[in-house]
Amino acid sequence: MNPSAVYDVLIVGAGLYGAVMANRAKAAGLKPLVLERRDHIAGNVYTEKVEGIHVHRYGAHIFHTNDPAVWEFANRFAVFNRFTNSPVANYHGELYSLPFNMYTFNKMWGVVTPEEARAKIEEQRRQAGIAEPRNLEEQAVSLVGRDLFEKLVKGYTEKQWGRPCRDLPAFIIRRLPVRFTFDNNYFNALYQGIPVGGYTRWVSRMLEGVEVRLGQDYLADRQAWNALAKRVVYTGPVDAYFDFRFGPLAYRSVRFETEVLPQPNFQGNAAVNYTDRETPWTRIIEHKWFQFGLDDEGRELPKTVISREYSSEWRPGDEPYYPVNDEPNSALYRRYRDLADRESGVVFGGRLGEYKYYDMDQVIAAALRRAEELFG
């Protein structure tokens, strides 16, 4: 990089990781420049207003964290509402509570006490002969039993990942919330909510006073961009940075069908998961319920906006969403990480730069830690 450059740090990507890094660089008295390939900031948490509703263009995002420092940082740039994530599962018209809790167990088996629910799950685990779960299917059966796996996990998961549950690693399902209470909150988090005014405004406030250039492809002319700065923070795909030297990493992508409906209420909940294999979409998001059906001024909205989500294998030109962290791809990423560790003057971060699924609070925490190392 150029020690006499115009900018102290060039940040590639105006998503959450890049925005936090830019904010911290500016706070340290440095001069950052942010480049963004898309025509907007905020990455996949981008929201746009449609009929007074903040629509999550790249899928639903609910901020949640147990980290007081991350919560304090997030609240510097927005007031968060009290939204609680309580999705519903739809299996051929049968509705079940998600997370798995006593409402779910009662609907499935008619049990009314936690002891009865635990006994039913243990019975089905023993019948399956599972000692140590070796894959996602065995892990799920161990957690919730065969009946719930077949109705509420199998079809949804295989649509989402495009692979049989037996071929997926067990760790993917370990974070599945299972409760022997009637708590309908999906997340086990101290803090939770949606920024009032939408995620785009939240991120734009992080970037106040920072130069941002949209529609810029860093990799197409990296030498010219690198000449402008003393160091680089890169949040794009790590394999693309190295010109796919070892081959492309695998991702799952998501396609959205979004429509405005001339009615005030389509499904009565922000998220409904369609867990049967036959329904082609994985879930429907009704965006207005992230703000309780109200606009920013607290007025009821006469229309609604829904998005159907379709999971697919990533192909060049698609937006990469979820890293496929199976063993072959993890091994491939380790080869790219070795290159990244040796790349002088460049820091790789974020979901794509580290080939890692991050929740929003984890992105912020990781960016704050790295910013402290880099900027003090």
Side-chain angles (χ1 to χ4, degrees):
M1 305 307 158
N2 186 353
S4 60
V6 177
Y7 299 95
D8 294 297
V9 56
L10 173 68
I11 298 170
V12 181
L16 196 49
Y17 191 98
V20 173
M21 292 293 282
N23 178 274
R24 294 296 81 206
K26 186 175 185 302
L30 303 177
K31 186 176 181 181
L33 169 64
V34 177
L35 301 181
E36 172 54 52
R37 176 179 55 82
R38 296 172 177 172
D39 62 359
H40 60 76
I41 64 168
N44 282 4
V45 304
Y46 174 73
T47 52
E48 56 188 340
K49 234 177 183 181
V50 179
E51 298 289 343
I53 300 164
H54 292 284
V55 172
H56 299 216
R57 184 192 287 185
Y58 302 99
H61 289 84
I62 299 98
F63 192 85
H64 58 97
T65 186
N66 283 308
D67 189 330
V70 168
W71 184 241
E72 186 277 327
F73 180 83
N75 277 265
R76 294 181 195 177
F77 312 102
V79 174
F80 281 72
N81 69 17
R82 58 176 180 80
F83 178 83
T84 299
N85 190 28
S86 300
V88 171
N90 183 320
Y91 179 81
H92 292 305
E94 297 177 25
L95 301 181
Y96 292 87
S97 174
L98 291 176
F100 295 98
N101 61 16
M102 288 304 299
Y103 290 114
T104 321
F105 305 141
N106 175 263
K107 178 74 178 283
M108 179 62 69
W109 298 311
V111 298
V112 295
T113 69
E115 289 77 12
E116 290 174 318
R118 288 182 187 275
K120 193 70 175 176
I121 292 170
E122 177 59 23
E123 174 192 345
Q124 295 192 355
R125 187 191 67 78
R126 285 199 311 271
Q127 289 173 349
I130 299 168
E132 184 64 33
R134 297 165 298 177
N135 54 52
L136 189 149
E137 177 171 332
E138 292 183 357
Q139 182 68 67
V141 172
S142 296
L143 287 170
V144 298
R146 174 64 63 181
D147 294 338
L148 282 165
F149 167 74
E150 293 290 344
K151 279 194 172 184
L152 304 186
V153 176
K154 187 175 189 294
Y156 182 90
T157 303
E158 292 184 350
K159 286 189 293 187
Q160 186 177 39
W161 290 100
R163 292 158 175 79
C165 287
R166 288 180 177 273
D167 295 342
L168 290 166
F171 74 83
I172 291 176
I173 205 76
R174 284 182 189 141
R175 53 188 264 161
L176 182 75
V178 179
R179 300 196 185 99
F180 295 92
T181 68
F182 291 90
D183 182 1
N184 259 351
N185 185 356
Y186 189 85
F187 298 121
N188 293 311
L190 289 172
Y191 313 104
Q192 182 174 176
I194 304 285
V196 175
Y199 282 104
T200 303
R201 186 167 76 178
W202 180 54
V203 174
S204 72
R205 288 177 173 173
M206 291 184 201
L207 291 169
E208 282 183 1
V210 174
E211 183 179 349
V212 179
R213 301 188 192 181
L214 301 176
Q216 302 296 327
D217 186 347
Y218 165 77
L219 294 179
D221 198 9
R222 74 176 80 182
Q223 288 186 336
W225 290 118
N226 289 349
L228 297 178
K230 298 174 184 176
R231 66 178 66 172
V232 172
V233 174
Y234 176 80
T235 71
V238 63
D239 53 352
Y241 182 92
F242 293 105
D243 299 315
F244 306 101
R245 184 178 306 179
F246 307 125
L249 291 161
Y251 293 90
R252 292 296 289 174
S253 191
V254 184
R255 177 174 63 86
F256 302 92
E257 288 183 356
T258 298
E259 58 181 316
V260 178
L261 300 177
Q263 61 194 74
N265 191 348
F266 174 75
Q267 64 187 19
N269 201 52
V272 175
N273 293 8
Y274 285 77
T275 61
D276 61 274
R277 196 67 181 85
E278 294 73 27
T279 301
W281 54 83
T282 54
R283 65 179 178 175
I284 297 179
I285 301 300
E286 189 167 8
H287 301 267
K288 71 188 301 182
W289 301 120
F290 292 124
Q291 289 195 187
F292 315 109
L294 307 175
D295 66 12
D296 289 339
E297 286 71 46
R299 297 172 298 205
E300 293 187 3
L301 293 159
K303 296 181 181 180
T304 194
V305 180
I306 65 168
S307 296
R308 292 180 176 86
E309 298 186 8
Y310 300 81
S311 186
S312 62
E313 202 71 19
W314 177 85
R315 292 176 177 81
D318 295 341
E319 202 62 51
Y321 280 84
Y322 304 108
V324 180
N325 293 126
D326 57 14
E327 185 48 44
N329 282 285
S330 296
L332 182 58
Y333 167 64
R334 287 192 290 271
R335 298 179 71 188
Y336 281 117
R337 187 183 62 199
D338 289 342
L339 292 180
D341 290 343
R342 297 196 297 269
E343 191 76 355
S344 177
V346 183
V347 171
F348 294 79
R351 178 176 52 92
L352 302 179
E354 299 176 64
Y355 195 64
K356 180 178 181 180
Y357 180 79
Y358 270 128
D359 285 329
M360 284 183 285
D361 64 320
Q362 295 171 322
V363 172
I364 291 175
L368 289 175
R369 284 194 301 270
R370 201 60 190 268
E372 180 67 24
E373 295 171 5
L374 294 175
F375 314 136

